[in-house]
Structure formats: C-alpha cells, structure tokens
Amino acid sequence: MFVRSIVADAFATNCYLLAPAEGEECLIVDPGIGVEGRVQELLAEHGLRPAAVLLTHGHLDHVYAVTPVCAGTTAVSPYIHTEDRYRLTDPLSTMSPALVVALEQQFGRRATWSEPERVVEVQDAQVLELAGLRVEVTHAPGHTEGSVLFSTAAVPEGIPSDELDRTVLSGDVLFAGSIGRTDLPGGDPAAMRRSLRDVVLPLADSSLVLPGHGPATTMARERAGNPYLADL
C-alpha cells in the first residue's frame, strides 16, 4: 500500500494519503489546518486521484481543510461517523474565541468555515470499498461521540508483511504511548475506557497504528508499554 503523511502546521495533526499504489485512486484522511496545498502537491507528484476523504472525528484540527480538499479534487465526499456529523456544520463555534484569534494570527488570515456540500455518514462495523481498498469502520467514542478507527488489511510499502499485516488509522483514540484527551466538549472518560478495553485492546499485535498526532506505532508496542492500556 502506498502511504504518505503530512503534518499540519497547527496542532501537528497528521493527514494521510493511502492508495493501492502510485498513479491510482487514493483516500485522504484527516485534512487539518493548512494542508490543502501540500495535499495537492502530493496528488500531482504521485499521480493520485482522490476517491474520498475519511475523517476519524470532527474536531477542527482534523477537518479544517476538508471542504477545500474536496472541492479542489473531483468533488469527492467526506466520510464521518453519524455521531460527529453535527461538528461539520460549524466546528469554529466549538473553539474559544482566543484560540480562533491565535490561529488567525499564526496564519495571517481570517478563519472561515464552509460546510462540505455532501457528507457521507458511516456506522460501526461498516465496510467501505473505496480507492481499491477495503476499509473497516469501528466506532470508538470517548475523545468525541463519533470517533472511529479506520483499518485495512494492508501495510505501507517497505514494511515486512510477516511482521505487520494491518494498518489502523486511530485518530485521537490511541497515540504512541498515550491516548486522546476526554475533557473537551463531547469527550467522555468512561466511554474512552470502554473503547480502549473493547476496541483497542482486541487489535492484533501485528497492527501498524497511524495516529492523529505523533509518530506511528504498533499494537504490540502499545500493549507492552502504553500506561493507559496497562490497567484495563
């Protein structure tokens, strides 16, 4: 599987491009603040044609560029869990005015939001056949009501398939050595604990984890050393 990542300038959010190979259709995952130009550069450089945008959840730092990315390609649609669909109406309204001002100062322009023209809602256990990839959706609330994991039975090129055989896009549910916060609106510590116990821990050790922030990891590594999984 062909995979490239972009780290957004704000909040260091990871945006991923996934495709069966160069020159084919691809999936764009979590286009955060200010990544649209670099997304277009990668598409052109590798001959990729977007088929869909996947959103692990609806926080602004994961969705801010979704509308320009969709409009700037071939009018593709974003996919988001039903419980987080409302967040695409106006994610700026969920941020403090001070934070909005700080972002505007950083990027030198007014923060604006335009809702995507067509949004596809996904559900737990749904299987998406997109861009030549079979992507499984797993609902994992706690960071937000509609947080999900997207997983596929393939790994990035160059990774030995006898060691890792699956890729999991974990959004802000699981990080290398940590987990997503639960103190923001829509967060729920009890729901996060259930998601970690019932969704994350059952993942095979042979799973490569591509999180919403920070470096990639593996499920074997997190099972052995992530303190938030140790007491479950």
Side-chain angles (χ1 to χ4, degrees):
M1 180 170 63
F2 179 84
V3 178
R4 290 294 184 271
S5 63
I6 300 168
V7 180
D9 294 332
F11 302 106
T13 308
N14 292 327
C15 171
Y16 299 99
L17 276 66
L18 288 72
E22 288 191 79
E24 299 192 20
E25 287 190 318
C26 72
L27 302 176
I28 301 170
V29 183
D30 287 355
I33 298 172
V35 304
E36 53 266 47
R38 282 175 287 171
V39 166
Q40 293 300 324
E41 291 172 2
L42 282 176
L43 294 175
E45 179 182 353
H46 299 286
L48 300 171
R49 306 181 306 278
V53 176
L54 304 183
L55 303 175
T56 60
H57 63 291
H59 278 160
L60 186 75
D61 60 319
H62 289 253
V63 308
Y64 190 71
V66 65
T67 299
V69 163
C70 287
T73 57
T74 53
V76 300
S77 297
Y79 288 63
I80 192 168
H81 190 274
T82 299
E83 293 294 327
D84 264 21
R85 169 63 181 89
Y86 78 95
R87 294 179 179 274
L88 295 186
T89 301
D90 184 12
L92 281 169
S93 66
T94 66
M95 299 179 65
S96 70
L99 184 54
V100 172
V101 169
L103 287 173
E104 291 176 338
Q105 291 175 340
Q106 178 180 356
F107 290 99
R109 60 180 182 270
R110 180 172 171 268
T112 60
W113 175 256
S114 176
E115 188 172 1
E117 182 175 339
R118 177 177 178 268
V119 178
V120 180
E121 298 182 21
V122 299
Q123 305 293 331
D124 182 44
Q126 186 172 348
V127 176
L128 306 173
E129 299 281 354
L130 297 167
L133 298 171
R134 187 176 190 272
V135 180
E136 298 176 14
V137 180
T138 308
H139 189 206
H143 181 64
T144 66
E145 308 94 324
S147 289
V148 300
L149 307 183
F150 292 113
S151 60
T152 186
V155 294
E157 56 191 7
I159 292 180
S161 58
D162 58 340
E163 297 177 10
L164 298 170
D165 58 14
R166 190 168 193 79
T167 299
V168 178
L169 296 143
S170 62
D172 286 4
V173 176
L174 180 68
F175 303 137
S178 189
I179 61 171
R181 59 193 294 181
T182 59
D183 59 336
L184 298 173
D188 184 335
M192 175 65 89
R193 186 176 178 85
R194 289 192 298 271
S195 291
L196 296 175
R197 181 193 65 207
D198 300 337
V199 174
V200 172
L201 277 179
L203 294 172
D205 284 351
S206 56
S207 300
L208 172 70
V209 178
L210 301 181
H213 302 269
T217 185
T218 67
M219 194 57 212
R221 190 176 304 147
E222 296 313 301
R223 195 185 313 280
N226 191 316
Y228 295 93
L229 302 182
D231 61 343
L232 295 176

